[in-house]
Amino acid sequence: GGHRVGFDLTISAPGDVSVAFALANDEERLAILQAHRQACAVAMGYIESKVETRRGKQGKNVIDTQGLVWTAADHVSNRNVEPDLHTHHLVYGVSKGEDGKWGTFDAIELYRHRHAADHLYKAELYIAMKALGYNIHREREVDVQGRETGQILTTIAGIDRELVLKTKTRRQEILDYVKEHPNASHDEACKA
């Protein structure tokens, strides 16, 4: 009927963290999972702070919400059963406005702030990984011409980049599908 039931905001750990999780013993794996969940909570809290709802004739009055309603489901592998720690946050299409009334929210803010939320997630996660005793390596990102992009890449020292790439066959399948079907969207490639 035109109403969107909700959104899947998936927060994925970087490949090196997923590999560390897969190689860890049970106690360390639980600690990494807790670090991931805490980092997700920071990112979702940020997203919640940006969501607005509308009231009045034709939704002219914009007000803040008291938060979102969601369910979190942790996954530890991709569809190819390779290390891929991630959490699906199933955000339902309702929120409680600051006026105490329930209603829909403006989803544009979810998309507008997703990159900032991802940066907050990664910063929080790597702080936690360092607290767990992992050495963290930071370097300036460069493009294919060797020019700095202005981004800083953070990784766990000692986790081989080639090993991480070997655990990303699902991503490569999606890229290959899009290459073979130039009109296909990323979502269509995932479904295929």
Side-chain angles (χ1 to χ4, degrees):
H3 176 71
R4 178 168 258 170
V5 175
F7 306 86
D8 180 359
L9 301 182
T10 302
I11 299 177
S12 299
D16 57 323
V17 175
S18 290
V19 167
F21 179 84
L23 296 175
N25 63 33
D26 289 343
E27 183 180 333
E28 188 74 8
R29 197 173 292 135
L30 180 59
I32 294 170
L33 179 60
Q34 289 172 338
H36 166 74
R37 286 176 175 165
Q38 176 56 35
C40 284
V42 168
M44 290 300 292
Y46 171 77
I47 290 289
E48 271 190 312
S49 75
K50 302 301 178 192
V51 174
E52 301 169 334
T53 189
R54 295 178 176 272
R55 299 287 190 264
K57 189 174 182 178
Q58 297 179 335
K60 284 185 178 181
N61 303 326
V62 177
I63 64 170
D64 289 332
T65 66
Q66 293 180 3
L68 298 171
V69 179
W70 79 78
T71 303
D74 298 323
H75 292 185
V76 297
S77 67
N78 63 19
R79 292 180 186 176
N80 292 343
V81 195
E82 297 162 333
D84 185 13
L85 177 60
H86 62 282
T87 299
H88 294 269
H89 296 87
L90 306 175
V91 179
Y92 303 102
V94 297
S95 64
K96 193 173 190 179
E98 284 194 330
D99 60 1
K101 297 178 183 175
W102 288 89
T104 60
F105 57 87
D106 190 351
I108 191 69
E109 300 303 329
L110 298 178
Y111 298 103
R112 186 174 288 146
H113 295 280
R114 70 185 187 278
H115 293 298
D118 185 56
H119 285 293
L120 286 171
Y121 162 79
K122 286 177 182 168
E124 186 76 18
L125 180 64
Y126 281 113
I127 288 169
M129 294 301 288
K130 187 173 183 177
L132 291 174
Y134 288 89
N135 290 322
I136 304 302
H137 177 74
R138 298 182 67 163
E139 64 182 282
R140 295 181 188 278
E141 181 184 60
V142 294
D143 62 19
V144 292
Q145 283 85 29
R147 294 181 302 229
E148 290 187 14
T149 65
Q151 298 293 316
I152 301 292
L153 296 176
T154 306
T155 57
I156 297 173
I159 295 195
D160 185 58
R161 179 83 179 130
E162 292 300 316
L163 175 60
V164 172
L165 291 175
K166 286 183 181 190
T167 67
K168 297 292 182 186
T169 60
R170 177 83 177 127
R171 181 178 184 274
Q172 190 58 51
E173 288 173 354
I174 292 166
L175 293 174
D176 290 346
Y177 186 89
V178 170
K179 189 183 237 182
E180 293 171 20
H181 304 86
N183 295 327
S185 70
H186 184 270
D187 287 341
E188 290 167 339
C190 286
K191 290 175 185 173

